[in-house]
Amino acid sequence: VNNRNEELDFLGELTNLRQLDIGSCNFDFDGVPPVIGKLTKLESLDISYTLMFGPIRGEAFANLTNLTYIEMGGNSYNDSIPSELASLPLLANLYCEDAFLSGDVSFMTQMPAIFEMWVDDNPDLGGSIPTEIGTLSTLQSLSLSSCAITGVLPTELGDMEFMQQMWYAY
């Protein structure tokens, strides 16, 4: 298990990096490595299926204001999506399926540019779909299958003129 930041310091030196894909490479770490936060020009990040476990540290995402795409599924976070990640101004694509997410989906209302969000197969991710979903004018694809979503679908979904596809099954 790679728990020491000094073993990952080299990542912080790649300050001009725009895309980082370490998905499926067994790069295990306790949570999301905070050193990723130094990659302020990063636009695309794939940390899926890397054996990461533990908290999704918000500080790892706070400075990634150019990030438009993140794939982080297939890990064991046992945590909720932090506001630092959800509120990134350009984040359009969030894929976090089968990642042991917990909490509720209210984080989605903080996502100003979200286009596609797939958080399938997270049985501890629950609550109801917030009525504010109707204000997410850029959201076109949403997948909440095999989560613990409760309640009725909000009528505000009908206000989403650009919604193309939605998966909601348990």
Side-chain angles (χ1 to χ4, degrees), residues 12 32-42 58-64:
V32 175
V35 70
I36 288 175
K38 293 182 178 182
L39 307 176
T40 58
K41 294 183 181 178
L42 205 59
E59 66 269 14
F61 301 101
N63 296 321
L64 301 183

Side-chain angles (χ1 to χ4, degrees), residues 5 8-13 27 29 32-39 60:
N5 275 338
L8 301 174
D9 281 348
F10 75 95
L11 284 176
E13 296 173 17
F27 179 73
F29 197 84
V32 175
V35 70
I36 288 175
K38 293 182 178 182
L39 307 176

Side-chain angles (χ1 to χ4, degrees), residues 95-118:
Y95 306 102
C96 198
E97 76 291 339
D98 192 27
F100 294 86
L101 289 180
S102 59
D104 60 37
V105 293
S106 62
F107 66 87
M108 69 178 8
T109 63
Q110 300 175 46
M111 305 179 92
I114 195 66
F115 172 81
E116 187 164 69
M117 184 177 85
W118 296 357

Side-chain angles (χ1 to χ4, degrees), residues 124-142:
D124 292 330
L125 184 64
S128 59
I129 298 174
T131 57
E132 294 87 359
I133 192 170
T135 65
L136 299 176
S137 60
T138 57
L139 185 61
Q140 294 188 27
S141 177
L142 175 64

Side-chain angles (χ1 to χ4, degrees), residues 134-170:
T135 65
L136 299 176
S137 60
T138 57
L139 185 61
Q140 294 188 27
S141 177
L142 175 64
S143 188
L144 299 167
S145 296
S146 299
C147 295
I149 304 299
T150 58
V152 297
L153 293 175
T155 57
E156 288 78 5
L157 283 170
D159 298 334
M160 302 180 76
E161 63 180 292
F162 296 111
M163 179 63 80
Q164 298 289 316
Q165 54 193 7
M166 181 176 171
W167 294 272
Y168 177 69
Y170 193 78

Side-chain angles (χ1 to χ4, degrees), residues 56-130:
I56 304 172
R57 295 180 179 90
E59 66 269 14
F61 301 101
N63 296 321
L64 301 183
T65 56
N66 292 309
L67 196 67
T68 62
Y69 178 99
I70 185 166
E71 200 165 332
M72 53 192 298
N75 294 310
S76 299
Y77 298 117
N78 295 310
D79 200 3
S80 58
I81 298 290
S83 62
E84 294 90 344
L85 175 57
S87 63
L88 290 174
L90 302 177
L91 186 62
N93 301 83
L94 170 66
Y95 306 102
C96 198
E97 76 291 339
D98 192 27
F100 294 86
L101 289 180
S102 59
D104 60 37
V105 293
S106 62
F107 66 87
M108 69 178 8
T109 63
Q110 300 175 46
M111 305 179 92
I114 195 66
F115 172 81
E116 187 164 69
M117 184 177 85
W118 296 357
V119 292
D120 311 85
D121 300 314
N122 286 294
D124 292 330
L125 184 64
S128 59
I129 298 174

